[in-house]
Amino acid sequence: MPVKRPVFLFLVLLLAAGVRLAGIRFGEPLAVHPHEDLLITDAMEAGARKGHPGRFEYPSGMVYFTLAVQGLHYLFSGADSVRDFWMSYNSHPFEFHLWSRVATVFWALAGIWGIWLLGSEWDRGRTSMRFLGGAGAWLLAVHLLHIRESRFATVDVPLATAITFALWWLLREYHRPATTILRLLPIALFIGICSGIHYPALLLIFPMWYVGLAAALKEKETSLSFSWMIGCAALQLVCAGAGFLLTTPHALIDSGKLWSDIGFGMYSAFSEGGAIETGSSLGYLQGPWLWGGGIALGVFSFFGLMMAVLRHEEEDRVLLSFAVPFFIILGLAAAVWGRWFLPLVPLQILWAVRFIAVYADHPWAVQWMASGARKTVAWIILF
């Protein structure tokens, strides 16, 4: 009797939680990740300065989330006052990071659910070998880079999770028989909120524009004008900006500091060498693409990417309109950081799974094996 889908997802999430929590105390008593301290100290500043973290190296979304997590930590700490609670950070910093790390694990589990939804939505147009959601969730649960970064209290895993859910929402809207600009505005607002986790999420505006344009072109009776398209795109940008300001309200009050910090961040990313995780001239393709989830996944996903580029299927167009600009931005950076690659990991996994699923339906495979046998072989490859 086959395992039901919700049961399989529960088992995958249980496995994912186990392998991430097993290393959650890595580095104790030190906060070994160079960016872990940033969110904690910014949360302290925000708590002391009426919500203003004082800088915008990261947007304020994760700062406020960290402040909420530490507020929960305070309730269980037994500290006599808020001041005593924050002062204990000097002597026992790791406990603060541990609470935020556990919260990151929940973000990671949400991301696995997100790839499940995204893969299942992609499967809607498929007639057989419909296991993109389940297989994608399984591979993300055991993905080395995702596991490693899920153990640190940084913005990287939350950003990847938010982008995955945004792409699922966009793909779901794309599959509708018809959509309107009004249906895309909540998505634009959500994209702004995602950008409040970290700035690269703003690139989601490209697949949103593509979904809107494709939906308009489906209406044969609709006459598109250049001014109408510019107006719709501008309205979506306004909604995205509103979502960003919901998470980073002080960007409006202290806009000079915002643009100064963004400019410095871009200069640091694109002008300095930093800590390079691979010395290859191919950067991310020969770096995190291959070692992030293992060479086998890297190879399968590369062929899956080529299939996406050449086939131009509906889902491919939506996902590539985010992946290509994001990958170009990564390629311009002076350093190669594995954690920067995380938003592409769910897509990399789904490209690999789709490649395997397509060839499991190849005519020669159909000729030699029944459907159940072909699916079993595909799952063996995936495992």
Side-chain angles (χ1 to χ4, degrees), residues 155-295:
V155 302
D156 303 297
V157 168
L159 174 66
T161 295
I163 287 175
T164 303
F165 275 100
L167 290 174
W168 164 69
W169 195 352
L170 285 167
L171 195 59
R172 187 181 181 190
E173 198 63 34
Y174 187 83
H175 280 155
R176 290 177 58 84
T179 190
T180 63
I181 182 65
L182 293 179
R183 292 190 60 87
L184 291 175
L185 293 184
I187 302 179
L189 187 71
F190 181 69
I191 289 173
I193 293 172
C194 294
S195 303
I197 295 175
H198 202 12
Y199 303 112
L202 188 59
L203 293 174
L204 287 164
I205 205 77
F206 292 115
M208 182 179 64
W209 281 342
Y210 175 76
V211 169
L213 180 62
L217 292 175
K218 289 179 184 177
E219 300 291 335
K220 296 181 180 179
E221 298 177 359
T222 304
S223 178
L224 299 180
S225 66
F226 181 74
S227 59
W228 179 87
M229 290 189 290
I230 293 296
C232 288
L235 184 58
Q236 289 170 329
L237 277 178
V238 169
C239 285
F244 177 76
L245 290 176
L246 283 175
T247 61
T248 313
H250 287 272
L252 197 60
I253 302 170
D254 197 359
S255 58
K257 180 64 174 173
L258 171 72
W259 293 112
S260 174
D261 286 352
I262 290 177
F264 179 77
M266 293 179 65
Y267 172 79
S268 300
F270 300 124
S271 301
E272 298 177 4
I276 301 178
E277 293 189 342
T278 172
S280 167
S281 60
L282 294 177
Y284 284 91
L285 272 182
Q286 199 167 334
W289 183 289
L290 281 180
W291 64 254
I295 294 178

Side-chain angles (χ1 to χ4, degrees), residues 26-376:
F26 174 73
E28 188 179 10
L30 304 175
V32 294
H33 196 292
H35 285 247
E36 271 195 315
D37 185 61
L38 290 177
L39 287 177
I40 299 288
T41 55
D42 284 358
M44 288 184 190
E45 290 289 332
R49 300 173 55 175
K50 299 180 180 179
H52 190 358
R55 59 182 175 181
F56 299 100
E57 183 171 345
Y58 293 127
S60 302
M62 282 304 296
V63 174
Y64 296 148
F65 177 80
T66 302
L67 187 60
V69 170
Q70 296 306 325
L72 190 63
H73 179 198
Y74 165 68
L75 294 177
F76 287 90
S77 67
D80 294 330
S81 66
V82 174
R83 182 181 183 278
D84 290 341
F85 171 73
W86 286 117
M87 288 296 291
S88 67
Y89 182 71
N90 293 325
S91 56
H92 300 92
F94 189 81
E95 291 305 311
F96 288 77
H97 292 280
L98 184 60
W99 275 78
S100 292
R101 286 184 178 191
V102 172
T104 304
V105 171
F106 281 101
W107 277 102
L109 298 182
I112 294 169
W113 180 40
I115 195 175
W116 169 280
L117 293 173
L118 180 58
S120 299
E121 185 63 34
W122 195 343
D123 264 340
R124 280 181 55 182
R126 297 173 54 79
T127 57
S128 62
M129 296 297 165
R130 300 176 63 179
F131 55 79
L132 267 66
W138 153 251
L139 288 176
L140 187 58
V142 297
H143 193 278
L144 169 64
L145 179 61
H146 199 265
I147 292 173
R148 187 187 79 174
E149 298 304 325
S150 299
R151 295 168 172 172
F152 295 119
T154 63
V155 302
D156 303 297
V157 168
L159 174 66
T161 295
I163 287 175
T164 303
F165 275 100
L167 290 174
W168 164 69
W169 195 352
L170 285 167
L171 195 59
R172 187 181 181 190
E173 198 63 34
Y174 187 83
H175 280 155
R176 290 177 58 84
T179 190
T180 63
I181 182 65
L182 293 179
R183 292 190 60 87
L184 291 175
L185 293 184
I187 302 179
L189 187 71
F190 181 69
I191 289 173
I193 293 172
C194 294
S195 303
I197 295 175
H198 202 12
Y199 303 112
L202 188 59
L203 293 174
L204 287 164
I205 205 77
F206 292 115
M208 182 179 64
W209 281 342
Y210 175 76
V211 169
L213 180 62
L217 292 175
K218 289 179 184 177
E219 300 291 335
K220 296 181 180 179
E221 298 177 359
T222 304
S223 178
L224 299 180
S225 66
F226 181 74
S227 59
W228 179 87
M229 290 189 290
I230 293 296
C232 288
L235 184 58
Q236 289 170 329
L237 277 178
V238 169
C239 285
F244 177 76
L245 290 176
L246 283 175
T247 61
T248 313
H250 287 272
L252 197 60
I253 302 170
D254 197 359
S255 58
K257 180 64 174 173
L258 171 72
W259 293 112
S260 174
D261 286 352
I262 290 177
F264 179 77
M266 293 179 65
Y267 172 79
S268 300
F270 300 124
S271 301
E272 298 177 4
I276 301 178
E277 293 189 342
T278 172
S280 167
S281 60
L282 294 177
Y284 284 91
L285 272 182
Q286 199 167 334
W289 183 289
L290 281 180
W291 64 254
I295 294 178
L297 177 65
V299 172
F300 275 117
S301 61
F302 179 78
F303 287 114
L305 172 61
M306 293 301 101
M307 181 179 288
V309 171
L310 296 174
R311 286 198 171 198
H312 297 296
E313 294 181 356
E314 293 181 347
E315 296 81 6
D316 292 328
R317 297 189 190 105
V318 176
L319 301 180
L320 284 172
S321 59
F322 167 76
V324 171
F326 189 87
F327 195 85
I328 290 174
I329 296 295
L330 283 184
L332 294 176
V336 178
W337 294 85
R339 58 192 176 87
W340 287 359
F341 186 74
L342 273 177
L344 288 181
V345 165
L347 300 184
Q348 183 193 21
I349 287 173
L350 290 177
W351 285 328
V353 176
R354 196 272 295 265
F355 180 80
I356 293 171
V358 167
Y359 275 91
D361 263 348
H362 196 275
W364 65 264
V366 173
Q367 181 180 358
W368 288 99
M369 287 184 287
S371 175
R374 286 184 282 115
K375 197 165 187 176
T376 299

